Amino acid sequence: MILKTMSSGLVIQTVSKTFPSPTGPVRAVDNVSLTIQPNEFFTLLGPSGCGKTTLLRMIAGLDIPTSGSILLDNQDIAPLPAYQRPVNTVFQSYALFPHMTVTDNIAFGMKMQGKPKTEIDKAVKEALALVRLDDKGERMPAQLSGGQQQRVALARALVNHPKILLLDESLSALDYKLRKEMQIELKRLQRETGITFIFVTHDQDEALSMSDRIAVMEKGNVAQIGTPQEIYDRPATRFVADFIGICNFVKASSLGLNDNCDIGFRPEDASFTVGRGMGKGNIRHINYRGAVTHYIIELEGGETITLSEDDPQNVEVNDAVSLVIPPERLIRCTA
Amino acid sequence: MAASTSPSRLPGVATTAYLSLAFLYIPILVVIFFSFNANSLITVWHGFTTDWYVKAYENEDLRRATWNSMIVAVGATFFSTVLALMAAMGMRGRLPRGLAGTSQMMMTLPLLIPEIVIAIATMSFFSIILRSEFMAGTAFLKLVDQYPLTQVLIAHTVFCVPFAYSPIRARIETLPPSLFEAAADLYATPWQSFRRVTLPLMMPGVTSGAMLAFITSLDDFIITQMVAPPGAMTLPVYIYSMVRKGITPEINAVSAILLVISILLVVSSYVINQRKAS
Ligand SMILES: Nc1ncnc2c1ncn2[C@@H]1O[C@H](COP(=O)(O)OP(=O)(O)OP(=O)(O)O)[C@@H](O)[C@H]1O
Ligand SMILES: [Mg+2]
């Protein structure tokens, strides 16, 4: 099972999932097509309720697509029940077995596959060390903090060396420092094991820093797929631009441009000058943020935008300024 | 003064409560007390003896009835608990909301049906089968001839199902479905998932369901009386036949033993439930 085969990754073809509900059918995933490469760190990013968990569940075999097909290494996995898919999940709710110790939880998958005991013991020990819970093996899940439970869930899935690891908001319960450490750890694991990671998050920083590619989802649809840089620099829609990082949107005319659509730009891409620039405005607020300083500027048309500068500028509230934005940093969205 | 505004402080409420307790337990205590009486008159105290227990033990009919009761209770407990567990698992989450409520109600409704009605229904049902000329009828007849307890066992299994079902159902409701999904995700076949995850987690509900079924079967009189053929007398039925010849301290002794078994089971069922809750 762990043998590396010639693989062509995971292909999701026009997959939809509809749930019945009292107010009529809910289309949780709407005609999604994706190809995920072997050994890719692929992230599904989107707001709550956009269908991320549902898509993961269909890959794991826990939900059956209403239509469409899912191919793993050129094989249609639709007929395979969850327990026969070389896929493991780190559940959003952890779903640890409350009647088993941490060690037994982690060993569960290998036991079910009938692996020899010595191999299981060794793998479990390594997995515990990996998630820094070496001394907690004999505890019951209820005796662990939320973050520790989440790490057990991670170890329990990883220890099986699946072809695909599905992670549903798997770092969300960790504190900032541990989270950063686990991000680096996950990235390293993914590179070393050759496992494909499909990672669900609604934290855009996490998505940008960890992913090879990101699919931004909106209401059951994929709004854009691309590398973090593509998505950040060239968001396909206004929704994507807004969801990834902060983006100012103003009328083209406010920037002195001859266009009738809205133009977007990132706070860090624009700067201001007291001399000539693209649009005029007044500084309304100066917000010192440590590494950067935010300037809230009201344009002459009444629109309010945010700029960020690395070094504090020599200006004061109510000073009149003009914007300077390199033309290639302007974002023109189709929708 | 604040306390007197509570309705539970009305005059007579506390007294009535204590009287109720007394009425409930004094007759039982009297039965136990006279089971140690060294006189066959059950209302006059003559001194302490355990002879009646020895005599009860030496009564062969009584021993056979006790043995029958145990076989039926153990068998009915096993089958009804298995059926109840399967019903609870089968009905969970699969039915639309309205139907789920209805099915649950129908599972527990027999608890409220007068026992005599169930007894008559069961008896008629058996006689229809036994008289039918289909294969099932003759096969059943053969079985009943060979094992006189068959009908009692079947009847007990059926009426014990609702008793076993209630605590099992209550327990299954507390288990999140994601646990079973996690088991499947971790390569457990449905059977392995049942063995390793469902059953251990259901155990508190299953145990208290089984105990309720056991005690219900052990206690039953009306239904057994109706369906039991001559060779299949259970303990309560036998005690009743003894009573018709007059109450003796021997009966008191048997009742006391039955009482102790019942109390032990009820208390352990309660303790298990408490432990599950904490
Ligand atoms: N079993 C279900 N029955 C009915 N509707 C469901 C079911 N599961 C999900 N949905 C609906 O499908 C939509 C997508 O849900 P999903 O859980 O996939 O969202 P999500 O992107 O994972 O959100 P979150 O970030 O909050 O976890 C939601 O509108 C949800 O209400
Ligand atoms: Mg989710």
PDB file of all heavy atoms in Angstrom, chain A residues 149-166:
ATOM      1  N   GLN A 149      -5.604  17.256  21.401  1.00  0.00           N
ATOM      2  CA  GLN A 149      -6.493  16.314  20.718  1.00  0.00           C
ATOM      3  C   GLN A 149      -6.337  16.426  19.211  1.00  0.00           C
ATOM      4  O   GLN A 149      -6.312  15.430  18.493  1.00  0.00           O
ATOM      5  CB  GLN A 149      -7.946  16.591  21.096  1.00  0.00           C
ATOM      6  CG  GLN A 149      -8.261  16.231  22.534  1.00  0.00           C
ATOM      7  CD  GLN A 149      -9.716  16.491  22.885  1.00  0.00           C
ATOM      8  OE1 GLN A 149     -10.577  16.537  22.030  1.00  0.00           O
ATOM      9  NE2 GLN A 149      -9.987  16.672  24.165  1.00  0.00           N
ATOM     10  N   GLN A 150      -6.204  17.666  18.757  1.00  0.00           N
ATOM     11  CA  GLN A 150      -6.056  17.876  17.329  1.00  0.00           C
ATOM     12  C   GLN A 150      -4.777  17.213  16.810  1.00  0.00           C
ATOM     13  O   GLN A 150      -4.745  16.626  15.731  1.00  0.00           O
ATOM     14  CB  GLN A 150      -6.015  19.374  17.057  1.00  0.00           C
ATOM     15  CG  GLN A 150      -6.518  19.733  15.702  1.00  0.00           C
ATOM     16  CD  GLN A 150      -6.821  21.203  15.591  1.00  0.00           C
ATOM     17  OE1 GLN A 150      -6.011  22.027  16.000  1.00  0.00           O
ATOM     18  NE2 GLN A 150      -7.956  21.547  15.044  1.00  0.00           N
ATOM     19  N   ARG A 151      -3.720  17.279  17.616  1.00  0.00           N
ATOM     20  CA  ARG A 151      -2.464  16.662  17.196  1.00  0.00           C
ATOM     21  C   ARG A 151      -2.559  15.138  17.206  1.00  0.00           C
ATOM     22  O   ARG A 151      -1.956  14.467  16.372  1.00  0.00           O
ATOM     23  CB  ARG A 151      -1.315  17.168  18.075  1.00  0.00           C
ATOM     24  CG  ARG A 151      -0.877  18.565  17.641  1.00  0.00           C
ATOM     25  CD  ARG A 151       0.262  19.076  18.467  1.00  0.00           C
ATOM     26  NE  ARG A 151      -0.194  19.531  19.772  1.00  0.00           N
ATOM     27  CZ  ARG A 151       0.585  19.588  20.847  1.00  0.00           C
ATOM     28  NH1 ARG A 151       1.843  19.210  20.762  1.00  0.00           N
ATOM     29  NH2 ARG A 151       0.112  20.025  21.989  1.00  0.00           N
ATOM     30  N   VAL A 152      -3.343  14.594  18.151  1.00  0.00           N
ATOM     31  CA  VAL A 152      -3.556  13.142  18.139  1.00  0.00           C
ATOM     32  C   VAL A 152      -4.289  12.749  16.854  1.00  0.00           C
ATOM     33  O   VAL A 152      -3.934  11.768  16.196  1.00  0.00           O
ATOM     34  CB  VAL A 152      -4.366  12.686  19.374  1.00  0.00           C
ATOM     35  CG1 VAL A 152      -4.672  11.195  19.285  1.00  0.00           C
ATOM     36  CG2 VAL A 152      -3.617  12.993  20.647  1.00  0.00           C
ATOM     37  N   ALA A 153      -5.294  13.541  16.502  1.00  0.00           N
ATOM     38  CA  ALA A 153      -6.053  13.254  15.278  1.00  0.00           C
ATOM     39  C   ALA A 153      -5.122  13.273  14.063  1.00  0.00           C
ATOM     40  O   ALA A 153      -5.239  12.440  13.157  1.00  0.00           O
ATOM     41  CB  ALA A 153      -7.181  14.268  15.110  1.00  0.00           C
ATOM     42  N   LEU A 154      -4.199  14.209  14.066  1.00  0.00           N
ATOM     43  CA  LEU A 154      -3.233  14.315  12.968  1.00  0.00           C
ATOM     44  C   LEU A 154      -2.337  13.073  12.925  1.00  0.00           C
ATOM     45  O   LEU A 154      -2.140  12.456  11.868  1.00  0.00           O
ATOM     46  CB  LEU A 154      -2.402  15.579  13.184  1.00  0.00           C
ATOM     47  CG  LEU A 154      -1.364  15.932  12.127  1.00  0.00           C
ATOM     48  CD1 LEU A 154      -2.042  16.153  10.789  1.00  0.00           C
ATOM     49  CD2 LEU A 154      -0.604  17.190  12.543  1.00  0.00           C
ATOM     50  N   ALA A 155      -1.822  12.690  14.099  1.00  0.00           N
ATOM     51  CA  ALA A 155      -0.951  11.516  14.167  1.00  0.00           C
ATOM     52  C   ALA A 155      -1.698  10.255  13.751  1.00  0.00           C
ATOM     53  O   ALA A 155      -1.169   9.400  13.050  1.00  0.00           O
ATOM     54  CB  ALA A 155      -0.406  11.353  15.583  1.00  0.00           C
ATOM     55  N   ARG A 156      -2.963  10.157  14.161  1.00  0.00           N
ATOM     56  CA  ARG A 156      -3.759   8.971  13.873  1.00  0.00           C
ATOM     57  C   ARG A 156      -3.958   8.780  12.366  1.00  0.00           C
ATOM     58  O   ARG A 156      -4.023   7.656  11.875  1.00  0.00           O
ATOM     59  CB  ARG A 156      -5.123   9.098  14.568  1.00  0.00           C
ATOM     60  CG  ARG A 156      -5.997   7.891  14.429  1.00  0.00           C
ATOM     61  CD  ARG A 156      -7.287   8.044  15.172  1.00  0.00           C
ATOM     62  NE  ARG A 156      -8.158   9.033  14.558  1.00  0.00           N
ATOM     63  CZ  ARG A 156      -9.418   9.242  14.906  1.00  0.00           C
ATOM     64  NH1 ARG A 156      -9.943   8.549  15.897  1.00  0.00           N
ATOM     65  NH2 ARG A 156     -10.142  10.143  14.309  1.00  0.00           N
ATOM     66  N   ALA A 157      -4.047   9.901  11.642  1.00  0.00           N
ATOM     67  CA  ALA A 157      -4.219   9.803  10.188  1.00  0.00           C
ATOM     68  C   ALA A 157      -2.876   9.578   9.497  1.00  0.00           C
ATOM     69  O   ALA A 157      -2.739   8.728   8.619  1.00  0.00           O
ATOM     70  CB  ALA A 157      -4.891  11.072   9.670  1.00  0.00           C
ATOM     71  N   LEU A 158      -1.867  10.341   9.909  1.00  0.00           N
ATOM     72  CA  LEU A 158      -0.561  10.309   9.240  1.00  0.00           C
ATOM     73  C   LEU A 158       0.126   8.961   9.344  1.00  0.00           C
ATOM     74  O   LEU A 158       0.829   8.536   8.433  1.00  0.00           O
ATOM     75  CB  LEU A 158       0.352  11.350   9.886  1.00  0.00           C
ATOM     76  CG  LEU A 158       0.587  12.627   9.124  1.00  0.00           C
ATOM     77  CD1 LEU A 158       1.501  13.519   9.924  1.00  0.00           C
ATOM     78  CD2 LEU A 158       1.168  12.345   7.759  1.00  0.00           C
ATOM     79  N   VAL A 159      -0.068   8.290  10.477  1.00  0.00           N
ATOM     80  CA  VAL A 159       0.664   7.067  10.761  1.00  0.00           C
ATOM     81  C   VAL A 159       0.385   5.995   9.710  1.00  0.00           C
ATOM     82  O   VAL A 159       1.182   5.088   9.510  1.00  0.00           O
ATOM     83  CB  VAL A 159       0.318   6.588  12.190  1.00  0.00           C
ATOM     84  CG1 VAL A 159      -1.031   5.913  12.219  1.00  0.00           C
ATOM     85  CG2 VAL A 159       1.389   5.683  12.740  1.00  0.00           C
ATOM     86  N   ASN A 160      -0.730   6.122   8.998  1.00  0.00           N
ATOM     87  CA  ASN A 160      -1.087   5.120   7.993  1.00  0.00           C
ATOM     88  C   ASN A 160      -0.427   5.351   6.635  1.00  0.00           C
ATOM     89  O   ASN A 160      -0.632   4.559   5.726  1.00  0.00           O
ATOM     90  CB  ASN A 160      -2.602   5.108   7.797  1.00  0.00           C
ATOM     91  CG  ASN A 160      -3.338   4.804   9.084  1.00  0.00           C
ATOM     92  OD1 ASN A 160      -3.187   3.728   9.630  1.00  0.00           O
ATOM     93  ND2 ASN A 160      -4.085   5.767   9.595  1.00  0.00           N
ATOM     94  N   HIS A 161       0.317   6.444   6.498  1.00  0.00           N
ATOM     95  CA  HIS A 161       0.922   6.791   5.209  1.00  0.00           C
ATOM     96  C   HIS A 161      -0.046   6.650   4.042  1.00  0.00           C
ATOM     97  O   HIS A 161       0.182   5.883   3.121  1.00  0.00           O
ATOM     98  CB  HIS A 161       2.172   5.939   4.935  1.00  0.00           C
ATOM     99  CG  HIS A 161       3.281   6.266   5.880  1.00  0.00           C
ATOM    100  ND1 HIS A 161       4.097   7.363   5.717  1.00  0.00           N
ATOM    101  CD2 HIS A 161       3.680   5.659   7.016  1.00  0.00           C
ATOM    102  CE1 HIS A 161       4.953   7.411   6.718  1.00  0.00           C
ATOM    103  NE2 HIS A 161       4.731   6.399   7.519  1.00  0.00           N
ATOM    104  N   PRO A 162      -1.165   7.371   4.086  1.00  0.00           N
ATOM    105  CA  PRO A 162      -2.130   7.272   2.989  1.00  0.00           C
ATOM    106  C   PRO A 162      -1.580   7.933   1.733  1.00  0.00           C
ATOM    107  O   PRO A 162      -0.579   8.656   1.794  1.00  0.00           O
ATOM    108  CB  PRO A 162      -3.323   8.060   3.520  1.00  0.00           C
ATOM    109  CG  PRO A 162      -2.706   9.079   4.427  1.00  0.00           C
ATOM    110  CD  PRO A 162      -1.531   8.395   5.064  1.00  0.00           C
ATOM    111  N   LYS A 163      -2.233   7.680   0.609  1.00  0.00           N
ATOM    112  CA  LYS A 163      -1.854   8.405  -0.608  1.00  0.00           C
ATOM    113  C   LYS A 163      -2.256   9.862  -0.486  1.00  0.00           C
ATOM    114  O   LYS A 163      -1.570  10.748  -0.966  1.00  0.00           O
ATOM    115  CB  LYS A 163      -2.575   7.803  -1.818  1.00  0.00           C
ATOM    116  CG  LYS A 163      -1.843   6.627  -2.403  1.00  0.00           C
ATOM    117  CD  LYS A 163      -2.486   6.209  -3.706  1.00  0.00           C
ATOM    118  CE  LYS A 163      -1.833   4.923  -4.165  1.00  0.00           C
ATOM    119  NZ  LYS A 163      -2.695   4.180  -5.089  1.00  0.00           N
ATOM    120  N   ILE A 164      -3.407  10.059   0.131  1.00  0.00           N
ATOM    121  CA  ILE A 164      -3.901  11.422   0.296  1.00  0.00           C
ATOM    122  C   ILE A 164      -4.282  11.626   1.755  1.00  0.00           C
ATOM    123  O   ILE A 164      -4.949  10.795   2.354  1.00  0.00           O
ATOM    124  CB  ILE A 164      -5.140  11.676  -0.585  1.00  0.00           C
ATOM    125  CG1 ILE A 164      -4.783  11.476  -2.057  1.00  0.00           C
ATOM    126  CG2 ILE A 164      -5.690  13.072  -0.352  1.00  0.00           C
ATOM    127  CD1 ILE A 164      -5.934  11.697  -2.980  1.00  0.00           C
ATOM    128  N   LEU A 165      -3.828  12.728   2.302  1.00  0.00           N
ATOM    129  CA  LEU A 165      -4.217  13.096   3.662  1.00  0.00           C
ATOM    130  C   LEU A 165      -5.147  14.298   3.563  1.00  0.00           C
ATOM    131  O   LEU A 165      -4.812  15.302   2.934  1.00  0.00           O
ATOM    132  CB  LEU A 165      -2.985  13.441   4.490  1.00  0.00           C
ATOM    133  CG  LEU A 165      -3.257  13.698   5.967  1.00  0.00           C
ATOM    134  CD1 LEU A 165      -3.633  12.414   6.681  1.00  0.00           C
ATOM    135  CD2 LEU A 165      -2.054  14.321   6.643  1.00  0.00           C
ATOM    136  N   LEU A 166      -6.320  14.159   4.160  1.00  0.00           N
ATOM    137  CA  LEU A 166      -7.287  15.254   4.140  1.00  0.00           C
ATOM    138  C   LEU A 166      -7.266  15.938   5.497  1.00  0.00           C
ATOM    139  O   LEU A 166      -7.431  15.278   6.525  1.00  0.00           O
ATOM    140  CB  LEU A 166      -8.689  14.704   3.859  1.00  0.00           C
ATOM    141  CG  LEU A 166      -8.833  13.845   2.604  1.00  0.00           C
ATOM    142  CD1 LEU A 166     -10.227  13.238   2.542  1.00  0.00           C
ATOM    143  CD2 LEU A 166      -8.556  14.667   1.367  1.00  0.00           C
TER     144      LEU A 166
END
